Amino acid sequence: MVQLNLVKVLLLSNERTGDVRYEIFSKEGENPDYPEKIIVYREGNIGEHGERG
């Protein structure tokens, strides 16, 4: 089984559009400059009272 290591997390924030989080993974023992997987999460306003989700 391939082991992935979290190499870097980038968080871009904007009050109007919400937050975007990038998690960058590389294979264990491989060069971290060549990612194996990138997961992107987006959080934004979902309610009229500023609820986030």
Side-chain angles (χ1 to χ4, degrees):
M1 177 188 268
V2 175
Q3 178 70 33
L4 296 178
N5 293 326
L6 180 62
V7 176
K8 193 180 295 184
V9 175
L10 302 172
L11 181 62
L12 304 175
S13 185
N14 183 316
E15 281 188 34
R16 197 184 84 217
T17 60
D19 299 333
V20 179
R21 177 186 174 108
Y22 295 86
E23 294 181 352
I24 302 170
F25 295 87
S26 69
K27 287 182 183 176
E28 184 175 20
E30 297 286 327
N31 187 341
D33 293 333
Y34 299 99
E36 179 69 21
K37 181 186 280 189
I38 300 173
I39 300 175
V40 180
Y41 300 93
R42 181 173 171 84
E43 181 180 281
N45 297 327
I46 60 172
E48 62 185 56
H49 301 292
E51 295 91 354
R52 313 263 305 160

